[in-house]
């Protein structure tokens, strides 16, 4: 199984909808500028107050399938249509 090169305590961005388990993780971004990660659901028109900072470990505990894309390159984006679908890399 793959693993992230980042420490499990690394701060990552997600949304309150993912944290409250109302939305599965469907979109993952690995930003080039600061090498940060964002994990989000299918919500659109998100406001600043909808985002949360959590540890990478917390994201993995919410959805361990993100380990499948742990090697997503910088500026990479992965998505899937639902929680049972395979990750697609853009």
């Amino acid at each position: 199984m793959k693993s992230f090169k980042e420490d499990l305590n690394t701060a990552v961005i997600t949304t309150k909808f993912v944290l409250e388990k109302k939305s599965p993780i469907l979109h993952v971004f690995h930003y080039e500028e600061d090498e940060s990660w964002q994990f989000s659901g299918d919500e659109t028109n998100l406001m600043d107050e909808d985002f949360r900072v959590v540890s990478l470990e917390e994201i993995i505990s919410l959805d361990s399938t993100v380990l499948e894309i742990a090697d997503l390159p910088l500026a990479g984006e992965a998505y899937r249509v639902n929680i049972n679908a395979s990750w697609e890399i853009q």
Side-chain angles (χ1 to χ4, degrees):
M1 180 171 292
K2 296 178 186 177
S3 63
F4 286 87
K5 68 177 173 86
E6 293 84 359
D7 186 85
L8 291 178
N9 289 326
T10 298
V12 298
I13 300 167
T14 190
T15 68
K16 67 181 182 181
F17 306 104
V18 168
L19 281 181
E20 295 166 1
K21 297 185 180 180
K22 294 179 180 167
S23 183
I25 297 171
L26 300 178
H27 300 278
V28 177
F29 301 94
H30 192 187
Y31 294 106
E32 186 169 20
E33 306 82 41
D34 59 2
E35 299 185 20
S36 65
W37 291 84
Q38 179 179 321
F39 301 86
S40 56
D42 214 14
E43 292 78 23
T44 57
N45 301 321
L46 293 168
M47 309 289 280
D48 286 347
E49 59 266 19
D50 295 328
F51 291 96
R52 303 288 185 268
V53 176
V54 297
S55 70
L56 184 56
E57 183 174 34
E58 189 168 355
I59 289 295
I60 295 168
S61 71
L62 285 171
D63 183 351
S64 63
T65 68
V66 299
L67 290 168
E68 296 170 16
I69 53 170
D71 58 355
L72 189 66
L74 290 175
E77 177 181 346
Y79 68 95
R80 58 187 174 177
V81 294
N82 61 53
I83 197 161
N84 298 313
S86 297
W87 287 105
E88 303 286 332
I89 308 289
Q90 278 190 322

Coordinates of all heavy atoms in Angstrom, one line a residue:
M1 N 0.8 -1.2 0.0 CA 0.0 0.0 0.0 C 0.9 1.2 0.0 O 1.9 1.3 0.6 CB -0.9 0.0 1.2 CG -1.8 1.2 1.3 SD -3.1 1.1 2.6 CE -4.1 -0.2 1.9
K2 N 0.4 2.3 -0.7 CA 1.2 3.5 -0.8 C 1.1 4.3 0.6 O 0.2 4.0 1.4 CB 0.6 4.4 -1.9 CG 0.7 3.8 -3.2 CD 0.1 4.7 -4.3 CE 0.1 4.1 -5.6 NZ -0.6 5.0 -6.6
S3 N 2.0 5.2 0.8 CA 1.9 6.1 1.9 C 2.3 7.5 1.5 O 3.0 7.7 0.5 CB 2.7 5.6 3.1 OG 4.1 5.6 2.7
F4 N 1.8 8.5 2.2 CA 2.2 9.8 2.0 C 3.6 10.1 2.4 O 4.1 9.5 3.4 CB 1.3 10.8 2.7 CG -0.1 10.9 2.1 CD1 -1.1 10.0 2.5 CD2 -0.4 11.9 1.2 CE1 -2.4 10.1 2.0 CE2 -1.7 12.0 0.7 CZ -2.7 11.1 1.1
K5 N 4.4 10.9 1.6 CA 5.7 11.2 2.1 C 5.7 12.2 3.2 O 6.6 12.3 4.0 CB 6.5 11.8 0.9 CG 6.1 13.1 0.4 CD 7.0 13.6 -0.7 CE 6.5 14.9 -1.4 NZ 6.8 16.1 -0.8
E6 N 4.6 12.9 3.4 CA 4.4 13.9 4.5 C 4.2 13.1 5.8 O 3.6 12.1 5.8 CB 3.3 14.8 4.2 CG 3.5 15.8 3.0 CD 3.1 15.2 1.7 OE1 2.7 14.0 1.6 OE2 3.2 15.9 0.7
D7 N 4.6 13.8 6.9 CA 4.3 13.3 8.2 C 2.8 13.2 8.4 O 2.1 14.1 7.9 CB 5.0 14.2 9.2 CG 4.9 13.6 10.6 OD1 5.8 12.8 11.0 OD2 4.0 14.0 11.3
L8 N 2.3 12.3 9.2 CA 0.9 12.1 9.5 C 0.4 13.4 10.3 O -0.8 13.6 10.2 CB 0.6 10.9 10.3 CG 0.8 9.6 9.5 CD1 0.6 8.4 10.4 CD2 -0.1 9.5 8.3
N9 N 1.2 14.1 10.9 CA 0.8 15.3 11.6 C 0.7 16.5 10.7 O 0.4 17.6 11.1 CB 1.7 15.6 12.8 CG 1.5 14.6 13.9 OD1 0.4 14.1 14.1 ND2 2.6 14.3 14.6
T10 N 1.0 16.4 9.4 CA 1.0 17.5 8.5 C -0.4 18.1 8.4 O -1.4 17.3 8.3 CB 1.4 17.0 7.1 OG1 2.7 16.5 7.2 CG2 1.3 18.1 6.0
A11 N -0.5 19.4 8.5 CA -1.8 20.1 8.3 C -2.3 20.0 6.9 O -1.5 20.3 6.0 CB -1.7 21.5 8.8
V12 N -3.6 19.6 6.7 CA -4.2 19.6 5.4 C -5.5 20.3 5.5 O -6.0 20.5 6.6 CB -4.4 18.2 4.9 CG1 -3.0 17.5 4.7 CG2 -5.3 17.4 5.7
I13 N -6.1 20.6 4.3 CA -7.3 21.4 4.3 C -8.5 20.4 3.9 O -8.3 19.6 3.0 CB -7.3 22.5 3.3 CG1 -6.1 23.5 3.7 CG2 -8.6 23.2 3.1 CD1 -5.8 24.5 2.6
T14 N -9.6 20.5 4.5 CA -10.8 19.8 4.2 C -12.0 20.7 4.4 O -11.8 21.9 4.6 CB -10.9 18.5 4.9 OG1 -11.9 17.7 4.3 CG2 -11.1 18.7 6.4
T15 N -13.2 20.2 4.3 CA -14.4 21.0 4.6 C -15.1 20.4 5.8 O -14.9 19.3 6.2 CB -15.3 20.9 3.4 OG1 -15.9 19.6 3.2 CG2 -14.6 21.4 2.1
K16 N -16.0 21.3 6.3 CA -16.8 20.8 7.5 C -17.7 19.7 7.0 O -18.1 18.8 7.8 CB -17.6 22.0 8.0 CG -18.6 22.6 7.1 CD -19.3 23.7 7.8 CE -20.4 24.3 6.9 NZ -21.1 25.4 7.5
F17 N -18.1 19.6 5.8 CA -19.0 18.6 5.3 C -18.3 17.2 5.3 O -18.9 16.2 5.7 CB -19.4 18.9 3.9 CG -20.1 20.3 3.8 CD1 -19.3 21.3 3.2 CD2 -21.3 20.6 4.3 CE1 -19.9 22.6 3.1 CE2 -21.9 21.8 4.2 CZ -21.2 22.9 3.7
V18 N -17.0 17.2 4.9 CA -16.3 15.9 5.0 C -16.1 15.5 6.5 O -16.3 14.4 6.9 CB -14.9 16.1 4.3 CG1 -14.0 14.9 4.6 CG2 -15.1 16.2 2.8
L19 N -15.7 16.5 7.3 CA -15.5 16.2 8.7 C -16.7 15.7 9.4 O -16.6 14.8 10.3 CB -14.9 17.4 9.5 CG -13.5 17.7 9.3 CD1 -13.1 19.0 10.1 CD2 -12.6 16.6 9.7
E20 N -17.9 16.2 9.1 CA -19.1 15.8 9.7 C -19.7 14.6 9.1 O -20.8 14.1 9.4 CB -20.1 17.0 9.7 CG -19.7 18.2 10.5 CD -20.5 19.4 10.2 OE1 -21.4 19.4 9.3 OE2 -20.2 20.5 10.8
K21 N -18.9 14.0 8.1 CA -19.3 12.7 7.4 C -20.6 12.9 6.6 O -21.3 11.9 6.4 CB -19.3 11.6 8.4 CG -17.9 11.3 9.0 CD -18.0 10.0 9.8 CE -16.6 9.8 10.4 NZ -16.5 8.6 11.3
K22 N -20.9 14.1 6.2 CA -22.1 14.3 5.4 C -21.7 14.2 3.9 O -22.5 14.2 3.0 CB -22.7 15.7 5.7 CG -23.3 15.7 7.1 CD -23.9 17.1 7.4 CE -24.4 17.1 8.8 NZ -24.8 18.4 9.3
S23 N -20.4 14.3 3.6 CA -19.9 14.2 2.3 C -18.6 13.4 2.2 O -17.7 13.5 3.0 CB -19.6 15.7 1.8 OG -19.1 15.7 0.5
P24 N -18.6 12.4 1.2 CA -17.4 11.6 1.1 C -16.3 12.5 0.4 O -16.6 13.4 -0.3 CB -17.9 10.5 0.2 CG -19.0 11.0 -0.6 CD -19.7 12.0 0.3
I25 N -15.1 12.1 0.5 CA -14.0 12.7 -0.2 C -14.0 12.3 -1.6 O -13.9 11.1 -1.9 CB -12.6 12.4 0.5 CG1 -12.6 12.9 1.9 CG2 -11.5 13.0 -0.4 CD1 -11.3 12.4 2.7
L26 N -14.2 13.3 -2.5 CA -14.3 13.0 -3.9 C -13.3 13.8 -4.8 O -13.1 13.4 -5.9 CB -15.7 13.3 -4.5 CG -16.9 12.6 -3.8 CD1 -18.2 13.1 -4.4 CD2 -16.8 11.1 -4.0
H27 N -12.7 14.8 -4.2 CA -11.7 15.6 -4.9 C -10.5 15.8 -4.0 O -10.6 16.1 -2.8 CB -12.3 17.0 -5.2 CG -13.5 16.9 -6.1 ND1 -13.4 16.8 -7.4 CD2 -14.8 17.0 -5.8 CE1 -14.7 16.8 -7.9 NE2 -15.5 16.9 -7.0
V28 N -9.3 15.6 -4.6 CA -8.1 15.8 -3.9 C -7.2 16.7 -4.7 O -7.0 16.4 -5.9 CB -7.4 14.5 -3.5 CG1 -6.0 14.8 -2.9 CG2 -8.3 13.6 -2.7
F29 N -6.6 17.7 -4.1 CA -5.7 18.6 -4.8 C -4.4 18.6 -4.1 O -4.4 18.7 -2.9 CB -6.2 20.1 -4.9 CG -7.6 20.2 -5.5 CD1 -8.7 20.1 -4.8 CD2 -7.7 20.4 -6.9 CE1 -10.0 20.3 -5.4 CE2 -8.9 20.5 -7.5 CZ -10.1 20.4 -6.7
H30 N -3.3 18.6 -4.8 CA -1.9 18.7 -4.2 C -1.3 19.9 -4.8 O -0.8 19.9 -6.0 CB -1.1 17.4 -4.6 CG 0.1 17.3 -3.8 ND1 1.1 16.3 -4.0 CD2 0.6 18.0 -2.7 CE1 2.1 16.5 -3.2 NE2 1.8 17.5 -2.4
Y31 N -1.4 21.0 -4.1 CA -1.0 22.3 -4.6 C 0.6 22.4 -4.8 O 1.3 22.0 -3.9 CB -1.5 23.4 -3.7 CG -3.0 23.5 -3.7 CD1 -3.7 23.1 -2.6 CD2 -3.6 24.1 -4.7 CE1 -5.1 23.1 -2.6 CE2 -5.0 24.1 -4.7 CZ -5.7 23.7 -3.7 OH -7.1 23.8 -3.7
E32 N 0.9 23.0 -5.9 CA 2.4 23.2 -6.2 C 3.0 24.3 -5.4 O 4.1 24.1 -4.9 CB 2.5 23.4 -7.7 CG 4.0 23.5 -8.1 CD 4.1 23.5 -9.6 OE1 3.1 23.8 -10.4 OE2 5.2 23.1 -10.1
E33 N 2.3 25.4 -5.2 CA 2.9 26.6 -4.5 C 3.5 26.3 -3.2 O 4.6 26.7 -2.9 CB 1.8 27.7 -4.4 CG 1.1 28.1 -5.6 CD -0.1 27.1 -5.9 OE1 -0.8 26.7 -5.0 OE2 -0.2 26.8 -7.1
D34 N 2.7 25.6 -2.3 CA 3.2 25.3 -1.0 C 3.2 23.8 -0.6 O 3.4 23.4 0.5 CB 2.4 26.1 0.0 CG 0.9 25.8 0.0 OD1 0.5 24.9 -0.8 OD2 0.2 26.4 0.8
E35 N 3.0 23.0 -1.6 CA 2.9 21.5 -1.5 C 1.8 21.0 -0.5 O 1.9 19.9 0.0 CB 4.3 21.0 -1.0 CG 5.4 21.3 -2.1 CD 6.7 20.7 -1.7 OE1 6.8 19.7 -0.9 OE2 7.7 21.1 -2.2
S36 N 0.8 21.9 -0.3 CA -0.3 21.5 0.6 C -1.3 20.6 -0.1 O -1.3 20.5 -1.3 CB -1.0 22.8 1.1 OG -1.6 23.4 0.1
W37 N -2.2 20.0 0.7 CA -3.2 19.1 0.2 C -4.6 19.6 0.6 O -4.7 20.2 1.7 CB -3.0 17.7 0.9 CG -1.8 16.9 0.4 CD1 -0.6 17.1 0.9 CD2 -1.8 15.9 -0.6 NE1 0.3 16.2 0.3 CE2 -0.4 15.5 -0.6 CE3 -2.7 15.4 -1.4 CZ2 0.0 14.5 -1.5 CZ3 -2.3 14.4 -2.3 CH2 -1.0 13.9 -2.3
Q38 N -5.5 19.4 -0.3 CA -6.9 19.7 0.0 C -7.8 18.4 -0.3 O -7.6 17.9 -1.4 CB -7.4 20.9 -0.7 CG -8.9 21.2 -0.4 CD -9.4 22.4 -1.2 OE1 -8.7 23.4 -1.3 NE2 -10.6 22.3 -1.7
F39 N -8.7 18.1 0.6 CA -9.6 16.9 0.4 C -11.0 17.5 0.6 O -11.3 18.0 1.6 CB -9.3 15.9 1.5 CG -7.9 15.4 1.5 CD1 -6.9 16.0 2.2 CD2 -7.6 14.2 0.8 CE1 -5.5 15.6 2.1 CE2 -6.3 13.7 0.8 CZ -5.3 14.4 1.4
S40 N -11.8 17.3 -0.4 CA -13.2 17.9 -0.4 C -14.2 16.9 -1.0 O -13.8 16.0 -1.7 CB -13.2 19.3 -1.0 OG -12.8 19.2 -2.3
G41 N -15.4 17.3 -0.7 CA -16.5 16.5 -1.3 C -17.0 17.1 -2.6 O -16.2 17.8 -3.3
D42 N -18.3 17.0 -2.8 CA -18.9 17.5 -4.1 C -19.5 18.8 -4.0 O -20.2 19.3 -4.9 CB -19.9 16.5 -4.6 CG -19.9 16.4 -6.1 OD1 -19.0 16.9 -6.8 OD2 -20.9 15.8 -6.7
E43 N -19.4 19.5 -2.8 CA -20.1 20.8 -2.6 C -19.4 21.8 -3.5 O -18.2 21.8 -3.8 CB -19.9 21.2 -1.1 CG -20.7 20.4 -0.2 CD -20.1 19.1 0.2 OE1 -18.8 18.9 0.0 OE2 -20.8 18.1 0.6
T44 N -20.2 22.8 -3.9 CA -19.8 23.9 -4.7 C -20.1 25.2 -3.9 O -20.8 25.2 -2.9 CB -20.4 23.9 -6.1 OG1 -21.8 24.0 -5.9 CG2 -20.1 22.7 -6.9
N45 N -19.5 26.3 -4.4 CA -19.8 27.6 -3.8 C -19.4 27.6 -2.3 O -20.1 28.2 -1.5 CB -21.2 28.0 -4.0 CG -21.6 28.1 -5.5 OD1 -20.8 28.6 -6.3 ND2 -22.8 27.7 -5.8
L46 N -18.3 27.0 -2.0 CA -17.9 27.0 -0.6 C -17.4 28.3 -0.2 O -16.7 29.1 -1.0 CB -16.8 25.9 -0.4 CG -17.2 24.5 -0.6 CD1 -16.0 23.6 -0.7 CD2 -18.1 24.1 0.5
M47 N -17.6 28.7 1.1 CA -17.1 29.9 1.7 C -15.9 29.6 2.5 O -15.7 28.5 2.9 CB -18.2 30.5 2.5 CG -19.6 30.6 1.8 SD -19.6 31.9 0.6 CE -19.8 33.4 1.6
D48 N -15.1 30.6 2.9 CA -14.0 30.4 3.7 C -14.3 29.7 5.0 O -13.5 28.9 5.4 CB -13.3 31.8 4.0 CG -12.6 32.4 2.9 OD1 -12.3 31.7 1.8 OD2 -12.2 33.6 2.9
E49 N -15.4 30.0 5.6 CA -15.8 29.4 6.9 C -16.2 27.9 6.7 O -16.3 27.2 7.8 CB -16.9 30.2 7.5 CG -18.2 30.3 6.7 CD -18.3 31.6 5.9 OE1 -17.3 32.2 5.6 OE2 -19.4 31.9 5.5
D50 N -16.3 27.4 5.5 CA -16.6 26.0 5.3 C -15.4 25.1 5.4 O -15.5 23.9 5.5 CB -17.3 25.8 4.0 CG -18.7 26.4 3.9 OD1 -19.3 26.5 4.9 OD2 -19.0 26.9 2.8
F51 N -14.2 25.7 5.3 CA -12.9 24.9 5.3 C -12.4 24.7 6.7 O -12.6 25.5 7.6 CB -11.9 25.6 4.5 CG -12.2 25.6 3.0 CD1 -12.9 26.6 2.4 CD2 -12.0 24.5 2.2 CE1 -13.3 26.6 1.1 CE2 -12.3 24.4 0.9 CZ -13.0 25.5 0.3
R52 N -11.7 23.6 6.9 CA -11.1 23.2 8.2 C -9.7 22.8 8.0 O -9.4 22.2 6.9 CB -11.9 22.1 8.9 CG -13.4 22.4 9.1 CD -13.6 23.4 10.3 NE -15.0 23.6 10.6 CZ -15.7 24.6 10.1 NH1 -15.3 25.4 9.1 NH2 -17.0 24.7 10.4
V53 N -8.8 22.9 9.0 CA -7.5 22.4 8.9 C -7.4 21.3 9.9 O -7.8 21.4 11.1 CB -6.5 23.5 9.3 CG1 -5.1 22.9 9.3 CG2 -6.5 24.7 8.3
V54 N -7.0 20.1 9.4 CA -6.9 18.9 10.2 C -5.6 18.2 9.8 O -4.8 18.6 8.9 CB -8.1 17.9 9.9 CG1 -9.4 18.5 10.3 CG2 -8.1 17.5 8.4
S55 N -5.3 17.1 10.5 CA -4.0 16.4 10.2 C -4.3 15.4 9.1 O -5.4 15.0 8.8 CB -3.5 15.7 11.4 OG -4.4 14.6 11.7
L56 N -3.2 15.1 8.4 CA -3.3 14.1 7.3 C -3.8 12.8 7.9 O -4.6 12.1 7.3 CB -1.9 13.9 6.7 CG -1.8 13.0 5.5 CD1 -2.8 13.3 4.4 CD2 -0.3 13.0 5.0
E57 N -3.3 12.5 9.1 CA -3.8 11.2 9.8 C -5.3 11.2 10.0 O -5.9 10.2 9.8 CB -3.1 11.1 11.2 CG -3.4 9.9 11.9 CD -2.6 9.7 13.2 OE1 -2.3 10.7 13.8 OE2 -2.3 8.6 13.5
E58 N -5.9 12.3 10.3 CA -7.4 12.4 10.4 C -8.1 12.1 9.1 O -9.1 11.4 9.1 CB -7.8 13.7 11.0 CG -9.2 13.8 11.4 CD -9.6 15.0 12.2 OE1 -8.7 15.8 12.6 OE2 -10.8 15.1 12.5
I59 N -7.5 12.7 8.0 CA -8.1 12.4 6.7 C -8.0 10.9 6.4 O -9.0 10.3 5.9 CB -7.4 13.2 5.6 CG1 -7.8 14.7 5.8 CG2 -7.7 12.7 4.2 CD1 -9.2 15.0 5.5
I60 N -6.9 10.3 6.6 CA -6.7 8.9 6.4 C -7.7 8.0 7.2 O -8.3 7.1 6.7 CB -5.3 8.4 6.6 CG1 -4.4 9.1 5.6 CG2 -5.1 6.9 6.5 CD1 -2.9 9.0 5.9
S61 N -7.9 8.5 8.4 CA -8.9 7.7 9.3 C -10.3 7.9 8.8 O -11.1 7.0 9.0 CB -8.7 8.1 10.8 OG -9.2 9.4 11.0
L62 N -10.6 9.0 8.2 CA -12.0 9.2 7.6 C -12.2 8.4 6.4 O -13.3 7.9 6.1 CB -12.2 10.7 7.3 CG -12.4 11.7 8.4 CD1 -12.4 13.1 7.9 CD2 -13.7 11.4 9.1
D63 N -11.1 8.3 5.5 CA -11.2 7.6 4.3 C -9.8 7.1 3.9 O -9.1 7.8 3.3 CB -11.8 8.5 3.2 CG -12.0 7.8 1.9 OD1 -11.6 6.6 1.7 OD2 -12.6 8.4 1.0
S64 N -9.5 5.8 4.2 CA -8.2 5.3 3.9 C -7.9 5.1 2.4 O -6.8 4.9 2.0 CB -8.0 4.0 4.6 OG -8.9 3.0 4.1
T65 N -9.0 5.2 1.5 CA -8.7 5.1 0.1 C -7.9 6.2 -0.4 O -7.3 6.1 -1.5 CB -10.0 5.0 -0.7 OG1 -10.7 6.2 -0.7 CG2 -10.9 3.9 -0.3
V66 N -7.7 7.3 0.3 CA -6.8 8.4 -0.1 C -5.4 7.9 -0.2 O -4.6 8.5 -1.0 CB -6.9 9.7 0.7 CG1 -8.4 10.3 0.7 CG2 -6.5 9.4 2.1
L67 N -5.1 6.8 0.5 CA -3.7 6.3 0.3 C -3.4 5.8 -1.1 O -2.2 5.8 -1.5 CB -3.5 5.1 1.3 CG -3.5 5.5 2.8 CD1 -3.6 4.3 3.7 CD2 -2.2 6.3 3.1
E68 N -4.4 5.5 -1.8 CA -4.2 5.1 -3.2 C -3.6 6.2 -4.1 O -3.0 5.9 -5.1 CB -5.6 4.6 -3.8 CG -6.1 3.4 -3.2 CD -7.6 3.1 -3.6 OE1 -8.0 3.7 -4.7 OE2 -8.2 2.3 -2.9
I69 N -3.8 7.4 -3.7 CA -3.3 8.6 -4.4 C -2.3 9.4 -3.7 O -2.1 10.6 -3.9 CB -4.5 9.5 -4.9 CG1 -5.4 9.9 -3.7 CG2 -5.3 8.8 -6.0 CD1 -6.4 11.0 -4.0
A70 N -1.6 8.7 -2.7 CA -0.6 9.4 -1.9 C 0.6 9.9 -2.7 O 1.3 10.8 -2.2 CB -0.1 8.4 -0.8
D71 N 0.8 9.4 -3.9 CA 1.9 9.8 -4.7 C 1.4 10.8 -5.8 O 2.1 11.1 -6.7 CB 2.5 8.6 -5.4 CG 1.6 7.8 -6.2 OD1 0.3 8.0 -6.2 OD2 2.0 6.8 -6.9
L72 N 0.3 11.4 -5.6 CA -0.2 12.4 -6.5 C 0.8 13.5 -6.6 O 1.3 14.1 -5.6 CB -1.5 13.0 -5.9 CG -2.3 14.0 -6.8 CD1 -2.9 13.2 -8.1 CD2 -3.5 14.6 -6.1
P73 N 1.2 13.8 -7.9 CA 2.3 14.8 -8.0 C 1.8 16.2 -7.7 O 0.6 16.5 -7.6 CB 2.7 14.7 -9.5 CG 1.4 14.2 -10.1 CD 0.8 13.3 -9.1
L74 N 2.8 17.1 -7.4 CA 2.5 18.5 -7.2 C 1.7 19.1 -8.4 O 2.0 18.7 -9.5 CB 3.8 19.3 -7.0 CG 4.5 19.1 -5.8 CD1 5.8 19.9 -5.8 CD2 3.7 19.4 -4.5
A75 N 0.7 19.9 -8.1 CA -0.2 20.4 -9.1 C -1.2 19.4 -9.6 O -1.9 19.6 -10.6 CB 0.5 21.1 -10.3
G76 N -1.2 18.2 -9.0 CA -2.1 17.1 -9.4 C -3.4 17.3 -8.8 O -3.6 17.9 -7.7
E77 N -4.4 16.6 -9.4 CA -5.8 16.6 -9.0 C -6.3 15.2 -9.2 O -6.1 14.6 -10.2 CB -6.6 17.6 -9.7 CG -8.1 17.6 -9.4 CD -8.9 18.6 -10.2 OE1 -8.3 19.5 -10.9 OE2 -10.1 18.5 -10.2
A78 N -7.0 14.7 -8.2 CA -7.6 13.4 -8.3 C -9.1 13.5 -8.0 O -9.5 14.4 -7.1 CB -7.0 12.4 -7.4
Y79 N -9.9 12.8 -8.7 CA -11.4 12.8 -8.4 C -12.0 11.5 -8.6 O -11.4 10.6 -9.2 CB -12.0 13.9 -9.3 CG -12.1 13.5 -10.7 CD1 -13.2 12.9 -11.3 CD2 -11.0 13.7 -11.5 CE1 -13.2 12.5 -12.6 CE2 -11.0 13.3 -12.9 CZ -12.1 12.7 -13.4 OH -12.1 12.3 -14.7
R80 N -13.2 11.3 -8.1 CA -14.0 10.1 -8.4 C -15.5 10.6 -8.3 O -15.8 11.5 -7.6 CB -13.7 9.0 -7.4 CG -13.9 9.4 -5.9 CD -13.4 8.3 -5.0 NE -13.5 8.8 -3.6 CZ -13.1 8.0 -2.6 NH1 -12.7 6.8 -2.8 NH2 -13.2 8.5 -1.4
V81 N -16.3 9.8 -8.9 CA -17.7 10.2 -9.0 C -18.5 9.9 -7.7 O -19.5 10.6 -7.4 CB -18.5 9.6 -10.2 CG1 -17.9 10.2 -11.5 CG2 -18.4 8.1 -10.2
N82 N -18.0 8.9 -7.0 CA -18.6 8.5 -5.7 C -17.6 7.7 -4.9 O -16.6 7.4 -5.4 CB -20.0 7.8 -5.9 CG -19.8 6.4 -6.6 OD1 -19.0 5.6 -6.2 ND2 -20.6 6.3 -7.7
I83 N -18.0 7.4 -3.7 CA -17.0 6.8 -2.8 C -16.6 5.4 -3.2 O -15.6 4.9 -2.8 CB -17.5 6.8 -1.3 CG1 -16.4 6.5 -0.3 CG2 -18.7 5.8 -1.1 CD1 -16.7 7.0 1.1
N84 N -17.4 4.7 -4.0 CA -17.1 3.4 -4.5 C -16.4 3.3 -5.8 O -15.9 2.3 -6.2 CB -18.4 2.6 -4.6 CG -19.1 2.4 -3.3 OD1 -18.5 2.1 -2.3 ND2 -20.4 2.7 -3.3
A85 N -16.2 4.5 -6.4 CA -15.5 4.6 -7.7 C -14.0 4.6 -7.5 O -13.5 5.0 -6.5 CB -16.0 5.8 -8.5
S86 N -13.3 4.3 -8.6 CA -11.8 4.4 -8.6 C -11.4 5.9 -8.7 O -12.1 6.7 -9.4 CB -11.2 3.6 -9.7 OG -11.6 2.2 -9.6
W87 N -10.3 6.2 -8.1 CA -9.7 7.5 -8.3 C -9.2 7.7 -9.7 O -8.6 6.8 -10.3 CB -8.5 7.7 -7.3 CG -8.9 7.9 -5.9 CD1 -8.8 6.9 -4.9 CD2 -9.5 9.0 -5.3 NE1 -9.3 7.5 -3.7 CE2 -9.7 8.7 -3.9 CE3 -9.9 10.3 -5.8 CZ2 -10.3 9.7 -3.1 CZ3 -10.4 11.2 -4.9 CH2 -10.6 10.9 -3.6
E88 N -9.5 8.9 -10.3 CA -9.0 9.3 -11.6 C -8.0 10.4 -11.4 O -8.3 11.4 -10.6 CB -10.1 9.7 -12.5 CG -11.2 8.7 -12.7 CD -10.8 7.6 -13.6 OE1 -10.0 7.8 -14.5 OE2 -11.3 6.5 -13.5
I89 N -6.9 10.4 -12.0 CA -5.9 11.4 -11.9 C -6.0 12.4 -13.1 O -6.0 11.9 -14.2 CB -4.4 10.8 -11.8 CG1 -4.3 9.7 -10.8 CG2 -3.4 11.9 -11.6 CD1 -4.4 10.2 -9.4
Q90 N -6.0 13.7 -12.8 CA -6.0 14.7 -13.9 C -4.6 15.2 -14.1 O -3.9 15.5 -13.1 CB -7.0 15.8 -13.6 CG -8.4 15.4 -14.0 CD -9.3 16.6 -13.9 OE1 -9.2 17.5 -13.1 NE2 -10.2 16.7 -14.8

